[in-house]
Structure formats: C-alpha cells, structure tokens
Amino acid sequence: MAKKRGRGMASVNYPTGMNLGGDPSQALVHATTTGSFIATLSSVDLGQGLKTVMAQICAETLGVPTDNVIIDTADTDTGPHCMGTFASRGTHRIGNAIIMASKEAKAVMLEVAAEELEVDSGDLETDGSGNIQVKGSPQKSISVLNTALAAHFKHGKTISGRGIFLQPRSYPEPETGTMTPATSYAHACTVAEVEVDTETGEVTVLELKSAYEVGRALNPRMVEQQIIGGAWMGLSHALYETTEPYYPDRSHGPVDFNQYLMPGPGDLPRFENVIIERPAPDGPFGAKGVGEMTANSPIPAIANAIFDAVGVRVDSLPITPEKVLRGIQALNA
C-alpha cells in the first residue's frame, strides 16, 4: 500500500447573469414615517446573503446607516418584476436596480430637507449616520427622521424611488451565431492538493487554494463564505455526490438525504482564498456575480491532482474509489 500526493490546477471564467430579454430586475424604495427605508424586491434570498448586500447597497446610495434599511422580498403577486435568483445575477442586476431606486428616493428626500432648511437641495448631503446637512456647514442639518415626518405630514410628498436594470439585448448573428451573452465576467483559479491510496483508490483532498476576481467585494466576509461553501460543493460534486447508484441495480441509489453521500466537516481540506478586485464598469459599486462559480474550479482541479498523483484520468463524476482503483489497475496491467 502507498499513498501518493498530487497537485492540480483549474481556472474558470463565469458570466454574470444571462442575456434573456435584457435580464431585467426591478426595485422599489420608499421611506417610512420613522425614517427607515423599505426596499421591495421579488428576488429570493437563498441563503447567499442577498438581503444583507442589498441593504448595504441601498444604504450606501441613500447615505443612511445600513440598519435603517429593511429588505422586503415580496413575491410575484405583489412585488416588482424580477427574472429570478439564478446565474449569479443577484448582486449585479438587483444591486443596479436598488441604486437607481435609491437615487430617485434620495432626490425627493433632499428636496424636502431643502425646504425645511431653506437652502437649495444641491447644497445638501447625507452624512451616513442619519442626518442631512449643508455641505461645508454640518451644523446646519436635519435628521432623516424629521425629514420623513415633514414629507408625510407637512409637504405631502412620498419619499420613494423606482429602479430597473435592463442589459442591452444582444441578438445572435444569423450567419455565425455570435452574440454577447453577458456584460461582465468573474474569474477564478483553484489549486488542489490530494492524497490517493493506491490500494483502495480512496482520495483525500488536503488543500484547496483559490483566487477569485469578483469585481468588488461589497461584503468581503460573505464573499469568503461563498468561496468556502462553493468549494465544499465542488469537493462534493467531484468525489461524493450522485443521484445514480454505483451498481447496475438502481434500487441501490439513495432515497432521501440521510442516504445521500456528501462530505462532512471531517472530510474538508484546508482552505486558502485570495479575493482580487477589478471593478466592473456596469456593476453596482463595481461588483460582479460570485455565487455559482465557486463550485466550478475545485472539480477539475481535484481531477487534475488525482492524475498528477497516480496517472489516472477520470472523466465522469463522482470520482469514486472504484473508478480510481480500476484506473490504477489498468495502468499496471
């Protein structure tokens, strides 16, 4: 018996969203009488942190604390239109819509504040902590709360805004089929180090080191969490997960998630991640989509590392011990 180590690398580029009818998403933003803001979407938070990042984008654009923003993910009956939560489009598409809606709402808010302070709205700015002040004269200010109250009960104005992101549509050229499927692409590279047991074919992933170019990390900690979570999924796709049985009889397949094979905490390797920022011109504050691509590059990197370790090339997933061992035996035949 011998355990051999190998190292493999893989890189990917991943489009943000899809060019389907312009891939539109809408957002509505309005202020309440308490000075907080509601951003209404039809976009679903699947656990990837969409609500948190949208609140950050909304707050940054309005110039108010993030805690003052509530994200309302309504539904398709009551909310504005959204193409859906897929294709790593959430931060880019919905974030752009949030910025547009927030800018429109902010303009109304500054108009009301200008009337209250008896100045021109162009002379005002938000301080990020809940106040609106005269540029260069912060002592002359009014709170966002009092501005909202004045708008509702004195001026009869609704502090609200609408936004929609619509990508320029690209039609395929009839002669060649050429088109532009996306306006921005994120990039990644993963290096995997594995250990292969030549007697059993068992593969142990020791390290996954990745670099991700994400445009701009609006919430670096959440980006890191997505990278690690995606690497876990990539490891699972590479070595464990399958909806088909390992044997000819399909009755051997899993019937529920208790029997569905995937790595546990003890099976995880050491992670090392680097985030690279090259802002996208059309992204919200330069951000691109990072979600799904995090599961992609670990898979071929692991496959390449196995080949480097024992010379066995497996081209179907999952790369089970049986497949590796048969490959080793074929090489030694």
Side-chain angles (χ1 to χ4, degrees):
M1 180 186 75
K3 292 187 176 181
K4 295 186 177 181
R5 290 195 177 193
R7 183 175 294 170
M9 183 186 76
S11 59
V12 300
N13 65 344
Y14 200 87
T16 298
M18 297 182 181
N19 200 324
L20 301 172
D23 202 16
S25 280
Q26 292 177 307
L28 304 175
V29 173
H30 75 274
T32 69
T33 54
T34 63
S36 60
F37 287 82
I38 311 296
T40 304
L41 316 168
S42 289
S43 312
V44 179
D45 191 325
L46 303 174
Q48 78 278 34
L50 181 139
K51 285 187 174 182
T52 299
V53 173
M54 291 306 112
Q56 287 182 263
I57 292 174
C58 184
E60 180 70 20
T61 307
L62 290 167
V64 301
T66 304
D67 290 344
N68 286 24
V69 176
I70 299 170
I71 302 298
D72 175 23
T73 51
D75 56 40
T76 52
D77 286 331
T78 61
H81 173 74
C82 181
M83 287 290 286
T85 302
F86 63 92
S88 301
R89 65 187 296 280
T91 296
H92 188 279
R93 304 301 199 250
I94 305 155
N96 275 318
I98 286 276
I99 288 175
M100 296 175 195
S102 299
K103 284 182 176 179
E104 188 172 289
K106 183 178 181 179
V108 179
M109 179 175 68
L110 294 182
E111 288 175 6
V112 175
E115 292 186 47
E116 289 295 294
L117 295 173
E118 298 181 342
V119 297
D120 187 85
S121 62
D123 295 329
L124 295 177
E125 63 182 4
T126 51
D127 68 355
S129 61
N131 296 300
I132 303 167
Q133 62 192 26
V134 176
K135 297 175 183 177
S137 300
Q139 69 277 7
K140 191 171 185 180
S141 65
I142 182 174
S143 68
V144 172
L145 170 58
N146 287 332
T147 302
L149 290 170
H152 280 83
F153 299 110
K154 182 177 178 182
H155 301 279
K157 289 186 176 181
T158 300
I159 299 177
S160 63
R162 305 150 298 170
I164 179 170
F165 176 86
L166 187 66
Q167 177 180 324
R169 190 167 181 182
S170 174
Y171 291 90
E173 296 178 4
E175 296 80 10
T176 64
T178 301
M179 66 173 296
T180 303
T183 59
S184 67
Y185 292 81
H187 306 86
C189 180
T190 296
V191 176
E193 185 171 345
V194 306
E195 186 176 74
V196 182
D197 188 320
T198 58
E199 184 177 24
T200 65
E202 184 178 3
V203 177
T204 302
V205 180
L206 304 174
E207 286 188 325
L208 285 176
K209 298 180 179 180
S210 298
Y212 281 84
E213 188 278 298
V214 300
R216 188 175 182 189
L218 302 184
N219 189 314
R221 178 60 69 183
M222 291 180 65
V223 171
E224 183 180 2
Q225 289 171 343
Q226 284 203 323
I227 291 172
I228 293 175
W232 189 333
M233 292 182 184
L235 168 64
S236 190
H237 286 313
L239 301 180
Y240 296 84
E241 289 191 65
T242 179
T243 56
E244 295 295 329
Y246 298 154
Y247 307 100
D249 185 353
R250 299 190 70 175
S251 64
H252 289 281
V255 297
D256 58 35
F257 282 109
N258 288 325
Q259 298 177 355
Y260 191 75
L261 189 62
M262 60 189 300
D267 302 308
L268 297 184
R270 177 177 175 269
F271 296 106
E272 186 176 329
N273 304 304
V274 175
I275 297 172
I276 301 170
E277 295 183 305
R278 292 183 178 176
D282 66 340
F285 302 108
K288 302 176 182 179
V290 66
E292 292 162 294
M293 68 180 295
T294 57
N296 291 356
S297 54
I299 300 172
I302 291 170
N304 288 335
I306 294 170
F307 178 77
D308 182 54
V310 293
V312 172
R313 176 66 70 188
V314 181
D315 57 8
S316 64
L317 299 179
I319 305 174
T320 61
E322 293 92 337
K323 294 177 183 177
V324 175
L325 190 57
R326 289 191 187 108
I328 294 173
Q329 290 172 344
L331 289 175
N332 296 330

